[in-house]
Amino acid sequence: VGEPEIQELVAAAGRAAKRAAASLAHADGNAVSAALRGMVERLASAAPVLLEANRADVAAAEAGGMAEALIDRLRLGEDRLRGMADQILTLAETPDDPVVASVHELADGTRVEERRRPVGVIGANYEARPNVTVDVASQLLKSRNAGVLRTGGAALRSAAALLDEVIRPAIAAAGLDGDAIQLVRTPDRSAALALCSLPGLIPLVILRGSGETTATLATHAAANGVRTLAHAEGGGVLYVHAGADRETTLALMTAGLDRLGVCNRLNLLLVDESRWDELLPDLVAHLEGLGIRPSLPPHPHPRGHEWALDDGNEATVTIDRVAGARAAAEVANEDTSGLAATIVTEDRAAAREFIAAYAGTGAFWNVTTRLLDGFKLLAAPETGINVDHVPGPRGPVTFRDLHLRQYVVTPAG
Amino acid sequence: VGEPEIQELVAAAGRAAKRAAASLAHADGNAVSAALRGMVERLASAAPVLLEANRADVAAAEAGGMAEALIDRLRLGEDRLRGMADQILTLAETPDDPVVASVHELADGTRVEERRRPVGVIGANYEARPNVTVDVASQLLKSRNAGVLRTGGAALRSAAALLDEVIRPAIAAAGLDGDAIQLVRTPDRSAALALCSLPGLIPLVILRGSGETTATLATHAAANGVRTLAHAEGGGVLYVHAGADRETTLALMTAGLDRLGVCNRLNLLLVDESRWDELLPDLVAHLEGLGIRPSLPPHPHPRGHEWALDDGNEATVTIDRVAGARAAAEVANEDTSGLAATIVTEDRAAAREFIAAYAGTGAFWNVTTRLLDGFKLLAAPETGINVDHVPGPRGPVTFRDLHLRQYVVTPAG
């Protein structure tokens, strides 16, 4: 299948989603909840078919020599299906934001309502993880948006089974348009580029995952007039202030390194120069106890280098010294993506100074950057993360963010 | 001056603004008000210098053969200076939104604050209208953002005088960093491209004005990782429903055509087919009475063609027939930029149907689209207009929108 065919495949999905979007925009809350609960039921009743499709994906991935960590993310089991169902149930039980965000009257009595209205069609591109298909589909439905999903080719059988056996029938059974969620049914990688090139059909695309691929897609989308919610980079910062408690510091290091492949893990450890000589041996020993290699200055890499994206070197943390809270915040601003940064200190004024100077999406005090997560922070499943320095959804993006601002203006009386 | 010099000129302005941005971010409300009031005073006390600089701009423009309508927008007088001062006073008296947008606690008592924080440095590109320099500068200051301004070359002397005699001294006298607002001091058009190509210094650029130039700059910015708030196109829609009152219709036509060069004027008149034969002669006669040429079907141009941007043909309105409220909304969605559309009707259900189906930034009932304006609708001067179909500031953009979302997370207690 050549590129024009792929482009047309995605465009056809976009057109079908757009036709469904208009009716979905004003879908009743009960219908949406019914569709979400229908997905929960079907995740159980269709489990044999889903697991069978997934076994075929896993077998093909193993035959192709996929790394075990990736195969683990690809694999479905009864427990993962239950986890997906639990997340959808939480979403079904979360109240909708009111459609009318604010109301005021002009001097002559004219009524001005600010309303939230769905975007229409939202694209989503994500790695070969079957659970994300259901995650994104349920969040789009909750936000009354239609969607075009594109998953990594290795998960295509699983994604298709989830769409055909779970998502589409649940939406249709609730009286909504089953076409609302479309899946791009090709493993061809150029489908991701096509998804980011149709502003008239898919004006917004959520790019899950970090790294080179995401950066390339974001640039391609921008050049084509398509907006994205994305974070090509991540990397948590932990700044050990002069007033830091030693035990709190070690605990935050441990908490920030419970997983190494995630964007909000501890990546850069900044130590105040006043504590450098005293603490460095302990910090290094603590890292080594966690199986982590410290990268000490002078660094043969940029200070913000993200280890989670460095294949084979994930078990590394960069350490550097800084002169004070403001300087630490500025390093985090300039040398990292601005995802999240923590100050460790017992000194409230220093915490305030650090938080005021840090411009990233999560400014934390004595709390691990691993908390920078929609579900943990906002009790809503995370649609994606955005680290742009522009107004709009930023930091963890949830279904609550997937709307447009509209002013509805009506005469007095 | 070649392109690298222009790029460096803009970058230098960006660096100076960025240095000032950090202190401005947390500027006290009293200091900001003092700076704004200082601008008001200086607009009066420096009037002779300002008018002298403006006379030089106007003389050069006249010598260069600039059209009279553009010279009128370029010209300053005592009355325009007073108008600018009044607008700044309104801004000074408008309360700031609270920094903390919301607060909640997690199960373990961890406190999560959603905060508004300034973007940092915002660029603005606008036509040769001296008042916009003060407009944008005052709004950036109010929103605690530093800025890099670039005006059409014909207004450069006026803009420089406003910066040197009004804006900078007023900011400095209030104890804030006088570097906060920078002006790109070259008439070279490539400065606009440079302004849209420095994401590390100027991540967001407001593009005032419509048309080809804005579209080109928006594309250039996107390709360079710079976000814009812009509307390359406008054009108000007026839909005459089956249940429209004749007098209301004519009054809304008149109101929508009080100015012809503006984006929110009446551009496309849609008439319900049930009223077409009856009303068309009256509507055409009414337009002709207003000095407007009706463009009737079959049209030799796209249905959404924007007359405000069609040099020499501004005094035109496109007329077409449609089958019902939903069809009218769909034409407005598909064939226009989605700025604003009005339904004329006495039928509440039809108004509801139209408003539900229209996806543009202003959905109006028996109210002119000329009301799609930050000042008229939201009582705050308009920084710009954005018609993107994505979350974030959309429709009239005011100083209230120029902030980033940040989560500040602190431990219990």
Side-chain angles (χ1 to χ4, degrees):
Chain A
V1 188
E3 294 231 356
E5 287 81 0
I6 299 293
Q7 189 83 15
E8 176 47 30
L9 196 71
V10 176
R15 287 190 297 269
K18 188 170 179 173
R19 281 190 298 271
S23 67
L24 192 61
H26 305 284
D28 176 73
N30 293 328
V32 170
S33 285
L36 293 172
R37 288 171 202 281
M39 289 186 201
V40 170
E41 285 160 23
R42 283 172 164 84
L43 280 170
S45 64
V49 185
L50 301 174
L51 296 178
E52 177 63 32
N54 184 250
R55 272 191 295 272
D57 275 339
V58 170
E62 285 174 339
M66 183 184 270
E68 182 47 44
L70 294 179
I71 288 182
D72 180 59
R73 299 170 82 178
L74 175 59
R75 191 178 282 120
L76 285 180
E78 297 284 355
D79 51 335
R80 288 226 172 136
L81 291 180
R82 266 195 304 277
M84 289 153 69
D86 287 347
Q87 183 129 326
I88 300 175
L89 262 186
T90 303
L91 198 60
E93 283 158 12
T94 304
D96 288 319
D97 282 338
V99 168
V100 177
S102 74
V103 189
H104 69 276
E105 283 187 8
L106 305 185
D108 66 357
T110 301
R111 180 183 165 92
V112 180
E113 282 185 11
E114 183 189 327
R115 290 200 191 171
R116 297 182 180 89
R117 70 177 284 136
V119 175
V121 180
I122 298 178
N125 186 69
Y126 48 93
E127 61 278 54
R129 294 172 66 185
N131 59 310
V132 179
T133 293
V134 171
D135 244 36
V136 172
S138 58
Q139 290 167 49
L140 292 182
L141 187 65
K142 178 76 175 177
S143 62
R144 273 71 164 172
N145 287 293
V148 180
L149 314 185
R150 191 260 158 193
T151 184
L156 191 57
R157 293 177 192 87
S158 308
L162 286 164
L163 204 85
D164 297 340
E165 305 295 328
V166 176
I167 297 167
R168 166 182 278 276
I171 293 174
L176 302 173
D177 191 330
D179 275 349
I181 305 294
Q182 299 285 317
L183 176 69
V184 178
R185 296 182 190 240
T186 171
D188 194 310
R189 280 164 186 246
S190 73
L193 290 168
L195 186 68
C196 296
S197 66
L198 299 164
L201 292 171
I202 311 170
L204 177 69
V205 178
I206 294 157
L207 300 174
R208 297 268 292 226
S210 318
E212 193 57 28
T213 309
T214 297
T216 303
L217 289 175
T219 303
H220 182 77
N224 283 280
V226 169
R227 294 278 284 268
T228 52
L229 292 171
H231 71 303
E233 294 164 67
V237 176
L238 186 68
Y239 162 57
V240 185
H241 175 251
D245 173 68
R246 188 182 165 283
E247 292 312 310
T248 306
T249 303
L250 300 182
L252 286 169
M253 289 169 66
T254 306
L257 292 162
D258 65 332
R259 288 178 61 191
L260 298 180
V262 293
C263 67
N264 57 5
R265 59 162 274 200
L266 168 54
N267 189 68
L268 173 60
L269 180 64
L270 297 173
V271 182
D272 199 86
E273 56 184 13
S274 64
R275 304 287 295 277
W276 179 261
D277 292 339
E278 166 210 349
L279 283 179
L280 190 63
D282 281 6
L283 302 181
V284 166
H286 190 68
L287 283 179
E288 286 171 349
L290 295 168
I292 305 287
R293 180 184 73 88
S295 171
L296 291 162
H299 307 106
H301 52 75
R303 185 154 48 181
H305 179 77
E306 192 178 351
W307 298 106
L309 302 176
D310 189 339
D311 238 4
N313 294 311
E314 290 88 348
T316 313
V317 163
T318 301
I319 306 187
D320 206 355
R321 58 196 289 169
V322 287
R326 169 172 298 268
E330 283 165 3
V331 167
N333 288 340
E334 290 303 314
D335 292 0
T336 83
S337 71
L339 182 69
T342 296
I343 179 171
V344 199
T345 189
E346 300 303 305
D347 176 344
R348 180 174 292 267
R352 222 173 355 237
E353 184 185 11
F354 178 82
I355 288 169
Y358 180 57
T361 77
F364 291 9
W365 175 27
N366 287 354
V367 170
T368 172
T369 55
R370 289 279 288 130
L371 212 59
L372 197 287
D373 173 280
F375 199 73
K376 291 178 192 165
L377 218 53
L378 307 171
E382 188 173 279
T383 320
I385 287 180
N386 181 39
V387 295
D388 273 352
H389 280 76
V390 293
R394 184 166 176 261
V397 175
T398 72
F399 77 91
R400 294 187 194 285
D401 295 316
L402 304 178
H403 60 81
L404 306 178
R405 180 168 78 180
Q406 183 182 50
Y407 293 97
V408 172
V409 183
T410 53
Chain B
V1 187
E3 294 232 356
E5 286 81 359
I6 299 293
Q7 189 82 16
E8 175 49 30
L9 195 71
V10 176
R15 284 191 298 268
K18 187 170 179 173
R19 280 190 299 271
S23 66
L24 192 61
H26 304 284
D28 176 72
N30 292 328
V32 170
S33 285
L36 293 173
R37 288 172 202 279
M39 289 186 201
V40 171
E41 286 160 23
R42 283 174 165 82
L43 279 171
S45 64
V49 185
L50 302 174
L51 296 178
E52 177 63 32
N54 185 250
R55 272 191 295 273
D57 275 338
V58 169
E62 285 174 339
M66 183 185 271
E68 182 47 45
L70 294 179
I71 288 182
D72 180 58
R73 299 171 83 180
L74 175 60
R75 190 177 283 119
L76 284 180
E78 297 283 357
D79 51 336
R80 286 224 171 136
L81 291 180
R82 266 195 305 278
M84 290 154 68
D86 287 348
Q87 183 128 326
I88 300 175
L89 262 186
T90 304
L91 198 61
E93 282 158 11
T94 305
D96 289 319
D97 281 338
V99 168
V100 177
S102 73
V103 188
H104 69 276
E105 282 186 8
L106 305 186
D108 66 356
T110 301
R111 180 183 164 93
V112 180
E113 282 185 10
E114 182 190 326
R115 290 199 190 171
R116 298 181 180 90
R117 70 177 287 139
V119 175
V121 181
I122 298 178
N125 187 67
Y126 47 93
E127 61 279 54
R129 294 171 67 184
N131 59 310
V132 179
T133 293
V134 171
D135 245 36
V136 172
S138 58
Q139 290 168 49
L140 292 181
L141 186 66
K142 178 77 175 176
S143 62
R144 273 69 165 175
N145 287 292
V148 179
L149 313 186
R150 190 260 157 193
T151 184
L156 192 57
R157 293 178 192 86
S158 308
L162 285 164
L163 204 86
D164 296 340
E165 305 295 328
V166 176
I167 297 167
R168 167 182 277 277
I171 293 174
L176 302 172
D177 191 329
D179 276 349
I181 305 295
Q182 299 284 318
L183 176 69
V184 178
R185 295 181 191 242
T186 170
D188 194 310
R189 280 163 186 248
S190 74
L193 290 168
L195 187 68
C196 295
S197 67
L198 299 164
L201 292 172
I202 311 170
L204 177 69
V205 178
I206 294 157
L207 300 175
R208 298 269 292 228
S210 318
E212 193 56 29
T213 309
T214 297
T216 303
L217 289 175
T219 304
H220 183 76
N224 283 279
V226 169
R227 294 279 283 269
T228 52
L229 292 170
H231 72 305
E233 293 164 66
V237 175
L238 187 68
Y239 162 57
V240 186
H241 176 250
D245 173 67
R246 189 182 164 284
E247 292 312 309
T248 305
T249 303
L250 300 182
L252 286 168
M253 288 168 67
T254 305
L257 292 162
D258 65 332
R259 288 178 62 190
L260 298 180
V262 293
C263 67
N264 56 5
R265 58 162 276 199
L266 168 53
N267 189 68
L268 173 61
L269 181 63
L270 297 173
V271 182
D272 200 87
E273 55 184 12
S274 64
R275 304 288 296 279
W276 179 261
D277 293 339
E278 166 210 348
L279 283 179
L280 191 64
D282 281 5
L283 302 180
V284 166
H286 190 69
L287 284 178
E288 287 171 349
L290 295 167
I292 305 287
R293 180 184 74 89
S295 170
L296 291 161
H299 307 106
H301 52 75
R303 183 154 50 181
H305 179 77
E306 191 178 350
W307 298 107
L309 302 177
D310 188 338
D311 238 5
N313 294 309
E314 290 88 348
T316 314
V317 162
T318 301
I319 306 187
D320 206 355
R321 57 197 289 168
V322 287
R326 169 172 297 269
E330 282 165 4
V331 167
N333 288 341
E334 290 302 315
D335 291 1
T336 83
S337 71
L339 182 69
T342 297
I343 178 172
V344 200
T345 188
E346 300 301 304
D347 176 343
R348 180 175 293 268
R352 221 173 357 236
E353 184 186 10
F354 178 82
I355 288 169
Y358 180 56
T361 76
F364 291 10
W365 175 27
N366 286 354
V367 169
T368 173
T369 55
R370 289 277 289 129
L371 212 60
L372 197 287
D373 172 280
F375 198 72
K376 292 177 192 165
L377 219 53
L378 307 171
E382 187 173 281
T383 320
I385 287 180
N386 182 38
V387 295
D388 274 351
H389 280 76
V390 293
R394 185 166 176 260
V397 175
T398 72
F399 77 89
R400 294 187 194 286
D401 294 316
L402 304 178
H403 59 81
L404 306 178
R405 180 168 79 180
Q406 183 182 53
Y407 293 98
V408 172
V409 183
T410 53

